[in-house]
Amino acid sequence: MKKVLIESHYLPSIAYFALIAQADHVVIERCEFFEKQTFRNRCQIQTANKELDLSVPINHQGRKIIIDKLTIDYIQKWQNTHWRSIQSAYKNAPFFEYYSNPIQEIIYSNTNSLFELNNQLLTICLKFLQIDTPIDFSEKYDKKVESGVFDARSMIHPKKNLSSLGWFSASPYYQIFGKDFAKNLSILDLLFNEGPMALAVLKSSIVKK
């Protein structure tokens, strides 16, 4: 897969990183309107009782706002909620201590922009995974992409079935909670549970064509 166009996600899922891992070049869409109830400001982790959604509150007042102009609502104490939930879920995971501090620092950095927060978290996770795929950002919004570009925008979506992702078939790995394997949680789940083996799990989840 040569060039991929995809939207910005908050602490993206394993499928998101599996796509980046097999691409030669990735472009993050920064000129689209923000879409509610998506992974743009939400991620999913595994707790002792259930899979839990963590959402970053944003300032939009119902208006259409370009994603890289969207600001985070810090009136709500979401950082404490997110970090306490992450810590509670993964403090006993084998690699939590190894990866947690940089993630915590970014979450508490009070970054004004959701797009920038997502980019900072994406960058540190790619570093942890040792994925060096070049990442750029779109300069304008194109409904239709040029030939040779795989348009993955909105393919990874809370309301869409994983089976629709032709490039991804979740490879099971150790999870600290849950009787049944959760297939596409935030990359945090894979990093905290598998550490240096995370990239191998990602690669084994890529469907070869």
Side-chain angles (χ1 to χ4, degrees), residues 9-17 39 42-46 51-54 82 86 90 103 107 121-122 125 129 156 168 173 175 181-194 198 202:
H9 285 194
Y10 173 65
L11 287 170
S13 68
I14 294 166
Y16 191 101
F17 282 92
F39 289 123
R42 178 195 305 185
C43 72
Q44 192 172 69
I45 64 172
Q46 180 88 304
E51 294 173 16
L52 176 67
D53 285 346
L54 300 176
H82 284 212
I86 292 168
Y90 297 113
I103 299 291
I107 288 175
L121 291 167
L122 175 64
C125 290
L129 292 162
I156 305 172
F168 180 72
Y173 61 88
Q175 291 178 326
F181 176 66
K183 294 182 178 181
N184 194 35
L185 298 170
S186 166
I187 194 65
L188 292 185
D189 189 81
L190 179 57
L191 282 169
F192 291 151
N193 284 314
E194 289 289 349
L202 281 180

Side-chain angles (χ1 to χ4, degrees), residues 9-64:
H9 285 194
Y10 173 65
L11 287 170
S13 68
I14 294 166
Y16 191 101
F17 282 92
L19 184 59
I20 292 177
Q22 64 185 297
D24 293 330
H25 181 199
V26 171
V27 177
I28 306 293
E29 178 63 78
R30 72 174 181 186
C31 300
E32 64 169 5
F33 287 119
F34 171 75
E35 185 179 334
K36 295 187 293 183
Q37 297 182 356
T38 67
F39 289 123
R40 288 162 177 82
N41 66 325
R42 178 195 305 185
C43 72
Q44 192 172 69
I45 64 172
Q46 180 88 304
T47 70
N49 300 315
K50 61 178 181 178
E51 294 173 16
L52 176 67
D53 285 346
L54 300 176
S55 297
V56 179
I58 45 89
N59 297 305
H60 66 96
Q61 290 81 42
R63 296 178 290 118
K64 287 186 176 181

Side-chain angles (χ1 to χ4, degrees), residues 63-80:
R63 296 178 290 118
K64 287 186 176 181
I65 301 178
I66 301 297
I67 186 71
D68 75 344
K69 305 297 183 185
L70 195 67
T71 59
I72 297 171
D73 179 5
Y74 283 101
I75 294 177
Q76 301 183 48
K77 304 301 181 184
W78 66 271
Q79 293 153 298
N80 291 340

